[in-house]
Amino acid sequence: MDIWFFLIQVLNGIQYGLLLFLVASGLTLIFGIMGIINLAHGSFYMLGAYLTFWLLQSVDSLLLAIVLALPISAAVGYLIEALLVRVLYRRDHLDQVLLTYGLILIFNEAQRMLWGGDVHGIKVPAALNWSIPLTESLSYPVYRIAISAVCAALAVGMYLVIQRTRFGMWIRAGASNRDMVAALGINVKLLFGAVFALGAVLAALSGAIAAPISSIGPGMGDTVLIICFVVVVIGGVGSIKGAFLGALLIGLADTFGKVLAPDFASFSVYAVMAVVLLLKPRGLFA
Amino acid sequence: MTRISRRGALQAGAAFAAAGLVPTRFAIGQTAKVRVGLMLPYSGTYAALGEAITSGLKMAVNARGGKLGGREVEYILLDDESNPGKGPENASKLIAGDKVDFLVGTVHSGVAMGMAKVAVDTGAMLIIPNAGVGAATGPMCAPNIFRTSFSNWQPAYPMGKVAWDRGMKNVVTISWKYGAGEEQLGGFEEGFTQQGGKIVKRIMLPFPNEEFQANLTEIASLKPDGVFAFFAGSGALKFVKDYAAAGLKSIPLMGTGFLTDGVLAAQGAAAEGVLTTLHYADALDTPENKKFRAEFKAFSGKEADVYAVQGYDGGQLLAIGMDAVKGDTAAGSRAALIAAMEAAEIKSPRGAFTLSKAHNPVQDIYLRQVKNGQEIVLGVAHKALADPAKGCKSA
Amino acid sequence: MSRLPRSLSILLSAAIILLAVYPLFGDALFPNKHAFLMQKLTGIMVMAVMAMSLDLLVGVAGLVSMGHAAFFGLGGYMLALLSPEYSAANLWVVLPAALTVVALASAVVGYLSIRTSGIYFIMVTLAFGQMGFYFFNDSKLAGGSDGAYIMVKPAVEILGVSVLNLGDKRTLYYVGLGALVGVYRLLRVLLASPFGRVVSAIGVNENRVRGLGFDPVAYKLLAFTIGGTVAGLAGFLAAIQYGFVNPATLSWHHSGEALVMVILGGMGTLFGPAIGAFVFELARMGFESVTEHWLLPMGMMIIGIVLLLPKGIGGLLLQLFSGRSKMEGGQ
């Protein structure tokens, strides 16, 4: 493997990792701050993709479709939290796992009833639909670079919001001690609803922006879900920093695994997680 | 105490009632309906295929007045959820529970393998309208198992010669690492190396992973004369788009029809120029195909595809067999039923075909190419190709 | 856990007796569907064994494992790998061999996983389960994703004379029933033993147990291994039934279903999850026969159980039958 090939693979791994981070960030936020394991997180990813597809049949611009899809996703997220998830705050993880597992079944069936079983694609917006030649035979799609930029910007943005704003402070406080925060007069119900909706939006956004380079079809949430959990657990639940690093690690492991040891590629992703947990049982940034 | 025993009885009764176990009517004489069990995916990734096959089969039976061998037909549909773990149990449910006369299914090869085992164990009549797993007409072949679709090897093999004839000497093959992937790549590689070609590398991705960037980079660095890929459904959609976006279009992309079927519109310009081989083509310019497509559109509201054809031909095969024995599905007529089905010449929208000794279609494989967003037929890549049926004792 | 209320014991025994005599009169009751029903019940009884083994982990020891199906699948695969292609394997050889391999795998996975706790434990067990799935799915060891056949069922012979014909549906039914009752009794005895009491205590409050001088890790590990091995037994029997194994049986979806059965039945009650297996499977059959959108009522049922019936059917039964004392049984 020459150096150029190696570097391009690193680029591939990072790009994949950044997208994974976007999906996983919502999950780690919800879990870290609210203590809720949400197995239906992958369904929000699917929701974002399908909403974008559906809206694109009425509007012309991908950007507009995405912008419209986000508030719808936020509303769905908030509703789910208010109606179902709220009950689970004082219950144990097993109940959360099962309730959200039941949600996956419902979402999958609802998707099929609303949009059918066919596989769909979305066009990459014309402005970004070109590639940069890297070698004589290989080019790199600009759209992928754009996505990576968006994900990276969001990563920085999230960090700033959580660490430097009042909203972020409430979130961190609520995670440490819910009752105290409520005693201080902050509406914890509203806060947690907002956080859950935010998590849903992040997942939906990643589904939406990834839609032009992936395929939209039944069950697309399930595949993303497991990888998401791997990322969150490696990084340490609740840590955005951890999710970022975990995502990059998995992105690179998956990419190089495919090329160097294809027989063990799937296996290796889980092996990485097992190894990390054995060395640091609470993830990299507990 | 009374409360408890009544509760116990109620619980048991409710449980059984919930399972819907109402004794069904007996098949008195031969005027009772023929029971056709359709075990197909009606949910999940392959739901569209399950529906297409079902519509095709029903249309074929409807064309004969809704009767098989003079008897009315009762369909029993079962969603196999493409779950191989439940395959044998579901097949058993239809065969032993619902006592179907014919079992039809399925799409996913893992599930079909389970069905084949149950068919071999029970002797039930099984018609496979899609799953291409070689074993079903190979080591697991049996007199009561028929297939109206293809074997994975079949559509891929002729592309080998096509590639060679187009001047390609080195080709990279790529697919998912699972049964169908291995068999399809194996077919192409056999055809290509037979002509003298060289397979530079066979890239296998974990199934159903759809992140292709790493492998596309690899392909670019290998600089082959051509790439042969097998992907289906969402994977096919993504692969072709990613292939084009990575600027690899200068290297011809080939595959079996599954690379473009059903996802061509969504693939857009990325699919331009892609060569595929398959035992059917939507654009096949024959009166039979045109008639079939028009009728199917009217019948189901959807455009016909290869799955609809396979289902349709399954219905035709059933009809031919049942007509020959005048609807007698009793054990005594079984040998005659099978013989009639074996000898059948099916007038399919894909062109007429017969069945090999291993009960797999002996059919023409067409060469197609995407031009201006449409799949056009360039010609016949291989006439009357039969799967070698390695391991089948009756072949 | 204390003894079951007398009336509940009688009810459960009655259910077992009903199951035992069913094959004798089932033909008369459901003439058309009898053979299928017997097969279905056999399958459910095997699932009940798996559910009980998971209950040992989840309900008793507090180890929520999302990778339990891997041991189930491994048991089946061991039979496939150890069976000769066209002749019968010797049950007395393959069964212990298969269980030994599964026990070893459970011990290794348990050893590595028990160092974590809470959500991390759930995820690590999920990861190992997935590794098991991909191991069989991606390798050519046993047919890959298409699965493998067991062409001839194992022979059960004593001194050359066939004692049990596992190919006979009725025989297999009774083997399944025997496994169900046998495993239940075994687990009961286990839980009543000093070892079992410590494990139950760990499930309630691990720190306190540590404070009493016990090493929770050793106890949890042993419980995990036992649970995994029993699941392997269930998988072994399931593989015998249809002569077919497939990687899908090791998937996290399957593990998730097993967890639903445990919760539905009532965590920690042991008999509850067995009932949970029956109710789950029959509910699924019921929904599937009513609508093609059966996933919807299935998902709603799961959610309903979590919200409304947290102690499961077993917990409910215990409460109903306990009469005076509310503290008896339950969690």
Side-chain angles (χ1 to χ4, degrees), chain C residues 1 4 8 12 47-49 51-52 55 180 184 188 258-280 311-318 331:
Chain C
M1 198 173 133
L4 295 179
L8 183 56
L12 291 177
M47 277 313 292
V49 171
M52 288 195 292
D55 194 26
L180 177 64
Y184 177 73
R188 270 268 170 263
L259 266 180
V260 174
M261 289 178 201
V262 170
I263 298 295
L264 173 58
M267 281 195 334
T269 59
L270 268 193
F271 69 87
I275 297 180
F278 277 87
V279 173
F280 184 85
K311 293 212 191 306
I313 294 176
L316 193 65
L317 284 174
L318 280 170
Q331 255 67 324

mmCIF file of all heavy atoms in Angstrom, chain C residues 1 4 8 12 47-49 51-52 55 180 184 188 258-280 311-318 331:
data_model
loop_
_atom_site.group_PDB
_atom_site.id
_atom_site.type_symbol
_atom_site.label_atom_id
_atom_site.label_comp_id
_atom_site.label_asym_id
_atom_site.label_seq_id
_atom_site.Cartn_x
_atom_site.Cartn_y
_atom_site.Cartn_z
ATOM 1 N N MET C 1 -35.282 -16.838 46.644
ATOM 2 C CA MET C 1 -36.706 -16.587 46.499
ATOM 3 C C MET C 1 -37.501 -17.666 47.209
ATOM 4 O O MET C 1 -37.191 -18.834 47.115
ATOM 5 C CB MET C 1 -37.025 -16.609 44.997
ATOM 6 C CG MET C 1 -38.320 -15.967 44.702
ATOM 7 S SD MET C 1 -38.542 -15.839 42.932
ATOM 8 C CE MET C 1 -40.183 -16.425 42.799
ATOM 9 N N LEU C 4 -43.251 -20.993 46.138
ATOM 10 C CA LEU C 4 -44.442 -20.447 45.508
ATOM 11 C C LEU C 4 -45.656 -20.727 46.382
ATOM 12 O O LEU C 4 -45.713 -21.737 47.066
ATOM 13 C CB LEU C 4 -44.661 -21.115 44.149
ATOM 14 C CG LEU C 4 -43.604 -20.856 43.086
ATOM 15 C CD1 LEU C 4 -43.966 -21.601 41.822
ATOM 16 C CD2 LEU C 4 -43.485 -19.380 42.805
ATOM 17 N N LEU C 8 -50.769 -21.534 43.434
ATOM 18 C CA LEU C 8 -50.069 -21.268 42.181
ATOM 19 C C LEU C 8 -49.314 -22.508 41.733
ATOM 20 O O LEU C 8 -49.303 -22.869 40.558
ATOM 21 C CB LEU C 8 -49.113 -20.088 42.363
ATOM 22 C CG LEU C 8 -48.369 -19.647 41.110
ATOM 23 C CD1 LEU C 8 -49.329 -19.320 39.988
ATOM 24 C CD2 LEU C 8 -47.501 -18.446 41.408
ATOM 25 N N LEU C 12 -49.697 -24.348 38.097
ATOM 26 C CA LEU C 12 -48.601 -24.612 37.166
ATOM 27 C C LEU C 12 -48.472 -26.108 36.884
ATOM 28 O O LEU C 12 -48.243 -26.523 35.751
ATOM 29 C CB LEU C 12 -47.292 -24.067 37.733
ATOM 30 C CG LEU C 12 -47.203 -22.536 37.799
ATOM 31 C CD1 LEU C 12 -45.900 -22.105 38.444
ATOM 32 C CD2 LEU C 12 -47.338 -21.938 36.427
ATOM 33 N N MET C 47 -38.068 -22.589 23.544
ATOM 34 C CA MET C 47 -37.888 -21.159 23.796
ATOM 35 C C MET C 47 -38.069 -20.857 25.279
ATOM 36 O O MET C 47 -37.406 -19.983 25.839
ATOM 37 C CB MET C 47 -38.899 -20.333 22.996
ATOM 38 C CG MET C 47 -38.523 -20.048 21.569
ATOM 39 S SD MET C 47 -36.826 -19.475 21.378
ATOM 40 C CE MET C 47 -36.903 -17.870 22.149
ATOM 41 N N ALA C 48 -38.987 -21.576 25.920
ATOM 42 C CA ALA C 48 -39.215 -21.360 27.347
ATOM 43 C C ALA C 48 -37.965 -21.715 28.144
ATOM 44 O O ALA C 48 -37.624 -21.034 29.111
ATOM 45 C CB ALA C 48 -40.404 -22.190 27.814
ATOM 46 N N VAL C 49 -37.281 -22.765 27.723
ATOM 47 C CA VAL C 49 -36.028 -23.124 28.394
ATOM 48 C C VAL C 49 -35.034 -21.976 28.253
ATOM 49 O O VAL C 49 -34.360 -21.582 29.207
ATOM 50 C CB VAL C 49 -35.435 -24.419 27.793
ATOM 51 C CG1 VAL C 49 -34.029 -24.659 28.328
ATOM 52 C CG2 VAL C 49 -36.318 -25.598 28.109
ATOM 53 N N ALA C 51 -35.746 -18.836 27.750
ATOM 54 C CA ALA C 51 -36.202 -17.691 28.542
ATOM 55 C C ALA C 51 -35.833 -17.876 30.006
ATOM 56 O O ALA C 51 -35.400 -16.940 30.677
ATOM 57 C CB ALA C 51 -37.706 -17.510 28.374
ATOM 58 N N MET C 52 -35.992 -19.100 30.498
ATOM 59 C CA MET C 52 -35.651 -19.345 31.904
ATOM 60 C C MET C 52 -34.162 -19.146 32.141
ATOM 61 O O MET C 52 -33.758 -18.580 33.163
ATOM 62 C CB MET C 52 -36.078 -20.754 32.321
ATOM 63 C CG MET C 52 -37.578 -20.903 32.453
ATOM 64 S SD MET C 52 -38.075 -22.394 33.331
ATOM 65 C CE MET C 52 -37.592 -23.648 32.168
ATOM 66 N N ASP C 55 -33.554 -15.625 32.435
ATOM 67 C CA ASP C 55 -34.085 -15.089 33.684
ATOM 68 C C ASP C 55 -33.063 -15.250 34.811
ATOM 69 O O ASP C 55 -32.962 -14.405 35.690
ATOM 70 C CB ASP C 55 -35.394 -15.789 34.051
ATOM 71 C CG ASP C 55 -36.141 -15.049 35.143
ATOM 72 O OD1 ASP C 55 -35.950 -13.819 35.258
ATOM 73 O OD2 ASP C 55 -36.895 -15.685 35.887
ATOM 74 N N LEU C 180 -38.058 -28.766 29.617
ATOM 75 C CA LEU C 180 -38.711 -27.639 30.282
ATOM 76 C C LEU C 180 -38.838 -27.899 31.778
ATOM 77 O O LEU C 180 -38.422 -27.083 32.616
ATOM 78 C CB LEU C 180 -40.105 -27.429 29.673
ATOM 79 C CG LEU C 180 -40.980 -26.341 30.283
ATOM 80 C CD1 LEU C 180 -40.347 -24.979 30.084
ATOM 81 C CD2 LEU C 180 -42.370 -26.358 29.651
ATOM 82 N N TYR C 184 -36.380 -26.327 34.783
ATOM 83 C CA TYR C 184 -37.046 -25.532 35.821
ATOM 84 C C TYR C 184 -36.702 -26.054 37.209
ATOM 85 O O TYR C 184 -36.320 -25.298 38.104
ATOM 86 C CB TYR C 184 -38.565 -25.555 35.610
ATOM 87 C CG TYR C 184 -39.313 -24.811 36.675
ATOM 88 C CD1 TYR C 184 -39.304 -23.414 36.715
ATOM 89 C CD2 TYR C 184 -40.006 -25.484 37.687
ATOM 90 C CE1 TYR C 184 -39.969 -22.716 37.711
ATOM 91 C CE2 TYR C 184 -40.670 -24.797 38.681
ATOM 92 C CZ TYR C 184 -40.653 -23.418 38.693
ATOM 93 O OH TYR C 184 -41.300 -22.738 39.679
ATOM 94 N N ARG C 188 -34.537 -24.201 40.108
ATOM 95 C CA ARG C 188 -35.133 -24.008 41.445
ATOM 96 C C ARG C 188 -34.203 -24.505 42.534
ATOM 97 O O ARG C 188 -33.969 -23.831 43.539
ATOM 98 C CB ARG C 188 -36.473 -24.758 41.548
ATOM 99 C CG ARG C 188 -37.658 -23.952 41.136
ATOM 100 C CD ARG C 188 -38.284 -23.242 42.332
ATOM 101 N NE ARG C 188 -39.276 -22.301 41.858
ATOM 102 C CZ ARG C 188 -39.028 -21.007 41.694
ATOM 103 N NH1 ARG C 188 -37.860 -20.512 42.003
ATOM 104 N NH2 ARG C 188 -39.955 -20.216 41.244
ATOM 105 N N ALA C 258 -35.969 -12.620 23.334
ATOM 106 C CA ALA C 258 -35.867 -13.407 24.565
ATOM 107 C C ALA C 258 -36.077 -12.501 25.778
ATOM 108 O O ALA C 258 -36.751 -12.878 26.744
ATOM 109 C CB ALA C 258 -34.510 -14.098 24.631
ATOM 110 N N LEU C 259 -35.496 -11.298 25.722
ATOM 111 C CA LEU C 259 -35.665 -10.358 26.837
ATOM 112 C C LEU C 259 -37.133 -9.994 27.007
ATOM 113 O O LEU C 259 -37.628 -9.892 28.136
ATOM 114 C CB LEU C 259 -34.867 -9.079 26.569
ATOM 115 C CG LEU C 259 -33.464 -9.023 27.146
ATOM 116 C CD1 LEU C 259 -32.836 -7.696 26.791
ATOM 117 C CD2 LEU C 259 -33.478 -9.202 28.638
ATOM 118 N N VAL C 260 -37.820 -9.788 25.882
ATOM 119 C CA VAL C 260 -39.248 -9.451 25.970
ATOM 120 C C VAL C 260 -40.002 -10.569 26.670
ATOM 121 O O VAL C 260 -40.858 -10.321 27.517
ATOM 122 C CB VAL C 260 -39.841 -9.199 24.576
ATOM 123 C CG1 VAL C 260 -41.345 -9.004 24.675
ATOM 124 C CG2 VAL C 260 -39.214 -7.977 23.948
ATOM 125 N N MET C 261 -39.652 -11.823 26.321
ATOM 126 C CA MET C 261 -40.330 -12.955 26.966
ATOM 127 C C MET C 261 -40.097 -12.945 28.471
ATOM 128 O O MET C 261 -40.998 -13.237 29.259
ATOM 129 C CB MET C 261 -39.809 -14.272 26.402
ATOM 130 C CG MET C 261 -40.245 -14.523 24.983
ATOM 131 S SD MET C 261 -39.539 -16.075 24.406
ATOM 132 C CE MET C 261 -39.645 -15.818 22.659
ATOM 133 N N VAL C 262 -38.870 -12.612 28.865
ATOM 134 C CA VAL C 262 -38.550 -12.603 30.294
ATOM 135 C C VAL C 262 -39.354 -11.526 31.004
ATOM 136 O O VAL C 262 -39.944 -11.773 32.054
ATOM 137 C CB VAL C 262 -37.038 -12.379 30.506
ATOM 138 C CG1 VAL C 262 -36.732 -12.119 31.972
ATOM 139 C CG2 VAL C 262 -36.264 -13.586 30.026
ATOM 140 N N ILE C 263 -39.390 -10.342 30.419
ATOM 141 C CA ILE C 263 -40.117 -9.246 31.051
ATOM 142 C C ILE C 263 -41.608 -9.525 31.058
ATOM 143 O O ILE C 263 -42.296 -9.320 32.050
ATOM 144 C CB ILE C 263 -39.869 -7.934 30.299
ATOM 145 C CG1 ILE C 263 -38.402 -7.580 30.348
ATOM 146 C CG2 ILE C 263 -40.693 -6.822 30.888
ATOM 147 C CD1 ILE C 263 -37.939 -7.291 31.733
ATOM 148 N N LEU C 264 -42.097 -9.978 29.921
ATOM 149 C CA LEU C 264 -43.520 -10.291 29.806
ATOM 150 C C LEU C 264 -43.914 -11.302 30.865
ATOM 151 O O LEU C 264 -44.951 -11.195 31.511
ATOM 152 C CB LEU C 264 -43.793 -10.836 28.399
ATOM 153 C CG LEU C 264 -45.180 -11.383 28.104
ATOM 154 C CD1 LEU C 264 -46.229 -10.340 28.342
ATOM 155 C CD2 LEU C 264 -45.251 -11.865 26.668
ATOM 156 N N GLY C 265 -43.036 -12.296 31.051
ATOM 157 C CA GLY C 265 -43.369 -13.347 31.993
ATOM 158 C C GLY C 265 -43.171 -12.950 33.438
ATOM 159 O O GLY C 265 -43.833 -13.473 34.319
ATOM 160 N N GLY C 266 -42.271 -12.032 33.666
ATOM 161 C CA GLY C 266 -42.019 -11.636 35.044
ATOM 162 C C GLY C 266 -40.606 -11.995 35.457
ATOM 163 O O GLY C 266 -40.310 -13.149 35.728
ATOM 164 N N MET C 267 -39.734 -10.997 35.499
ATOM 165 C CA MET C 267 -38.325 -11.214 35.828
ATOM 166 C C MET C 267 -38.171 -11.856 37.190
ATOM 167 O O MET C 267 -38.812 -11.435 38.146
ATOM 168 C CB MET C 267 -37.599 -9.856 35.910
ATOM 169 C CG MET C 267 -37.241 -9.290 34.598
ATOM 170 S SD MET C 267 -36.028 -7.953 34.749
ATOM 171 C CE MET C 267 -36.264 -7.322 36.370
ATOM 172 N N GLY C 268 -37.289 -12.801 37.267
ATOM 173 C CA GLY C 268 -36.926 -13.350 38.563
ATOM 174 C C GLY C 268 -37.851 -14.442 39.076
ATOM 175 O O GLY C 268 -37.541 -15.098 40.070
ATOM 176 N N THR C 269 -38.969 -14.664 38.401
ATOM 177 C CA THR C 269 -39.904 -15.668 38.929
ATOM 178 C C THR C 269 -39.615 -17.068 38.404
ATOM 179 O O THR C 269 -40.156 -18.038 38.899
ATOM 180 C CB THR C 269 -41.348 -15.316 38.556
ATOM 181 O OG1 THR C 269 -41.432 -15.252 37.124
ATOM 182 C CG2 THR C 269 -41.758 -13.980 39.137
ATOM 183 N N LEU C 270 -38.784 -17.164 37.393
ATOM 184 C CA LEU C 270 -38.431 -18.421 36.715
ATOM 185 C C LEU C 270 -39.594 -19.045 35.962
ATOM 186 O O LEU C 270 -39.483 -19.364 34.798
ATOM 187 C CB LEU C 270 -37.848 -19.458 37.684
ATOM 188 C CG LEU C 270 -36.341 -19.480 37.843
ATOM 189 C CD1 LEU C 270 -35.899 -20.730 38.562
ATOM 190 C CD2 LEU C 270 -35.653 -19.402 36.490
ATOM 191 N N PHE C 271 -40.709 -19.272 36.608
ATOM 192 C CA PHE C 271 -41.825 -19.866 35.857
ATOM 193 C C PHE C 271 -42.449 -18.817 34.949
ATOM 194 O O PHE C 271 -43.005 -19.142 33.903
ATOM 195 C CB PHE C 271 -42.873 -20.449 36.814
ATOM 196 C CG PHE C 271 -43.633 -19.404 37.593
ATOM 197 C CD1 PHE C 271 -44.773 -18.809 37.062
ATOM 198 C CD2 PHE C 271 -43.199 -19.005 38.846
ATOM 199 C CE1 PHE C 271 -45.471 -17.848 37.781
ATOM 200 C CE2 PHE C 271 -43.893 -18.045 39.567
ATOM 201 C CZ PHE C 271 -45.028 -17.461 39.031
ATOM 202 N N GLY C 272 -42.331 -17.552 35.375
ATOM 203 C CA GLY C 272 -42.905 -16.463 34.597
ATOM 204 C C GLY C 272 -42.378 -16.415 33.171
ATOM 205 O O GLY C 272 -43.149 -16.410 32.217
ATOM 206 N N PRO C 273 -41.052 -16.328 32.989
ATOM 207 C CA PRO C 273 -40.523 -16.290 31.630
ATOM 208 C C PRO C 273 -40.942 -17.481 30.776
ATOM 209 O O PRO C 273 -41.095 -17.339 29.566
ATOM 210 C CB PRO C 273 -39.013 -16.277 31.856
ATOM 211 C CG PRO C 273 -38.847 -15.573 33.151
ATOM 212 C CD PRO C 273 -40.016 -16.022 33.978
ATOM 213 N N ALA C 274 -41.129 -18.648 31.394
ATOM 214 C CA ALA C 274 -41.600 -19.782 30.602
ATOM 215 C C ALA C 274 -42.996 -19.472 30.062
ATOM 216 O O ALA C 274 -43.294 -19.699 28.891
ATOM 217 C CB ALA C 274 -41.615 -21.050 31.449
ATOM 218 N N ILE C 275 -43.844 -18.930 30.929
ATOM 219 C CA ILE C 275 -45.179 -18.511 30.474
ATOM 220 C C ILE C 275 -45.033 -17.412 29.436
ATOM 221 O O ILE C 275 -45.745 -17.379 28.431
ATOM 222 C CB ILE C 275 -46.016 -17.989 31.660
ATOM 223 C CG1 ILE C 275 -46.260 -19.094 32.677
ATOM 224 C CG2 ILE C 275 -47.345 -17.438 31.169
ATOM 225 C CD1 ILE C 275 -47.068 -18.658 33.873
ATOM 226 N N GLY C 276 -44.062 -16.506 29.688
ATOM 227 C CA GLY C 276 -43.835 -15.406 28.763
ATOM 228 C C GLY C 276 -43.543 -15.911 27.360
ATOM 229 O O GLY C 276 -44.000 -15.327 26.374
ATOM 230 N N ALA C 277 -42.772 -16.991 27.253
ATOM 231 C CA ALA C 277 -42.456 -17.544 25.938
ATOM 232 C C ALA C 277 -43.735 -17.984 25.234
ATOM 233 O O ALA C 277 -43.938 -17.706 24.052
ATOM 234 C CB ALA C 277 -41.491 -18.713 26.080
ATOM 235 N N PHE C 278 -44.611 -18.676 25.970
ATOM 236 C CA PHE C 278 -45.869 -19.124 25.374
ATOM 237 C C PHE C 278 -46.713 -17.950 24.913
ATOM 238 O O PHE C 278 -47.206 -17.913 23.778
ATOM 239 C CB PHE C 278 -46.675 -19.952 26.389
ATOM 240 C CG PHE C 278 -46.245 -21.383 26.463
ATOM 241 C CD1 PHE C 278 -45.222 -21.768 27.305
ATOM 242 C CD2 PHE C 278 -46.864 -22.342 25.678
ATOM 243 C CE1 PHE C 278 -44.812 -23.097 27.362
ATOM 244 C CE2 PHE C 278 -46.455 -23.668 25.730
ATOM 245 C CZ PHE C 278 -45.427 -24.049 26.576
ATOM 246 N N VAL C 279 -46.875 -16.974 25.803
ATOM 247 C CA VAL C 279 -47.740 -15.842 25.466
ATOM 248 C C VAL C 279 -47.181 -15.064 24.278
ATOM 249 O O VAL C 279 -47.904 -14.679 23.365
ATOM 250 C CB VAL C 279 -47.905 -14.913 26.689
ATOM 251 C CG1 VAL C 279 -48.656 -13.655 26.310
ATOM 252 C CG2 VAL C 279 -48.642 -15.647 27.792
ATOM 253 N N PHE C 280 -45.873 -14.849 24.284
ATOM 254 C CA PHE C 280 -45.234 -14.091 23.206
ATOM 255 C C PHE C 280 -45.455 -14.776 21.862
ATOM 256 O O PHE C 280 -45.880 -14.152 20.893
ATOM 257 C CB PHE C 280 -43.740 -13.960 23.502
ATOM 258 C CG PHE C 280 -42.985 -13.123 22.506
ATOM 259 C CD1 PHE C 280 -42.926 -11.753 22.634
ATOM 260 C CD2 PHE C 280 -42.327 -13.716 21.439
ATOM 261 C CE1 PHE C 280 -42.227 -10.974 21.733
ATOM 262 C CE2 PHE C 280 -41.630 -12.953 20.523
ATOM 263 C CZ PHE C 280 -41.572 -11.576 20.677
ATOM 264 N N LYS C 311 -44.213 -5.985 36.360
ATOM 265 C CA LYS C 311 -43.766 -7.211 37.016
ATOM 266 C C LYS C 311 -44.113 -8.446 36.186
ATOM 267 O O LYS C 311 -43.905 -9.569 36.612
ATOM 268 C CB LYS C 311 -44.418 -7.318 38.399
ATOM 269 C CG LYS C 311 -43.927 -6.255 39.355
ATOM 270 C CD LYS C 311 -43.906 -6.784 40.777
ATOM 271 C CE LYS C 311 -43.685 -5.713 41.798
ATOM 272 N NZ LYS C 311 -42.511 -4.904 41.557
ATOM 273 N N GLY C 312 -44.661 -8.215 35.045
ATOM 274 C CA GLY C 312 -44.946 -9.320 34.151
ATOM 275 C C GLY C 312 -46.093 -10.189 34.632
ATOM 276 O O GLY C 312 -46.676 -9.979 35.692
ATOM 277 N N ILE C 313 -46.388 -11.188 33.835
ATOM 278 C CA ILE C 313 -47.497 -12.081 34.176
ATOM 279 C C ILE C 313 -47.176 -12.853 35.457
ATOM 280 O O ILE C 313 -48.031 -13.048 36.320
ATOM 281 C CB ILE C 313 -47.752 -13.058 33.013
ATOM 282 C CG1 ILE C 313 -48.236 -12.278 31.809
ATOM 283 C CG2 ILE C 313 -48.747 -14.124 33.418
ATOM 284 C CD1 ILE C 313 -48.420 -13.123 30.587
ATOM 285 N N GLY C 314 -45.931 -13.264 35.583
ATOM 286 C CA GLY C 314 -45.530 -14.018 36.768
ATOM 287 C C GLY C 314 -45.730 -13.206 38.027
ATOM 288 O O GLY C 314 -46.242 -13.691 39.035
ATOM 289 N N GLY C 315 -45.302 -11.940 37.950
ATOM 290 C CA GLY C 315 -45.469 -11.079 39.111
ATOM 291 C C GLY C 315 -46.936 -10.918 39.458
ATOM 292 O O GLY C 315 -47.330 -10.926 40.626
ATOM 293 N N LEU C 316 -47.734 -10.779 38.405
ATOM 294 C CA LEU C 316 -49.173 -10.617 38.605
ATOM 295 C C LEU C 316 -49.761 -11.853 39.268
ATOM 296 O O LEU C 316 -50.532 -11.763 40.231
ATOM 297 C CB LEU C 316 -49.832 -10.403 37.237
ATOM 298 C CG LEU C 316 -51.267 -9.908 37.241
ATOM 299 C CD1 LEU C 316 -51.316 -8.529 37.840
ATOM 300 C CD2 LEU C 316 -51.801 -9.870 35.811
ATOM 301 N N LEU C 317 -49.368 -13.016 38.757
ATOM 302 C CA LEU C 317 -49.877 -14.265 39.320
ATOM 303 C C LEU C 317 -49.472 -14.402 40.788
ATOM 304 O O LEU C 317 -50.274 -14.800 41.624
ATOM 305 C CB LEU C 317 -49.343 -15.462 38.526
ATOM 306 C CG LEU C 317 -50.001 -15.715 37.177
ATOM 307 C CD1 LEU C 317 -49.277 -16.826 36.435
ATOM 308 C CD2 LEU C 317 -51.465 -16.084 37.361
ATOM 309 N N LEU C 318 -48.215 -14.069 41.048
ATOM 310 C CA LEU C 318 -47.745 -14.190 42.428
ATOM 311 C C LEU C 318 -48.553 -13.284 43.345
ATOM 312 O O LEU C 318 -48.938 -13.672 44.437
ATOM 313 C CB LEU C 318 -46.263 -13.831 42.511
ATOM 314 C CG LEU C 318 -45.303 -14.937 42.098
ATOM 315 C CD1 LEU C 318 -43.891 -14.396 41.993
ATOM 316 C CD2 LEU C 318 -45.360 -16.084 43.083
ATOM 317 N N GLN C 331 -40.459 -9.035 42.989
ATOM 318 C CA GLN C 331 -39.044 -8.676 42.767
ATOM 319 C C GLN C 331 -38.372 -8.467 44.102
ATOM 320 O O GLN C 331 -37.919 -7.434 44.433
ATOM 321 C CB GLN C 331 -38.970 -7.411 41.928
ATOM 322 C CG GLN C 331 -38.563 -7.744 40.505
ATOM 323 C CD GLN C 331 -39.621 -8.545 39.782
ATOM 324 O OE1 GLN C 331 -40.307 -9.401 40.334
ATOM 325 N NE2 GLN C 331 -39.785 -8.263 38.516
#
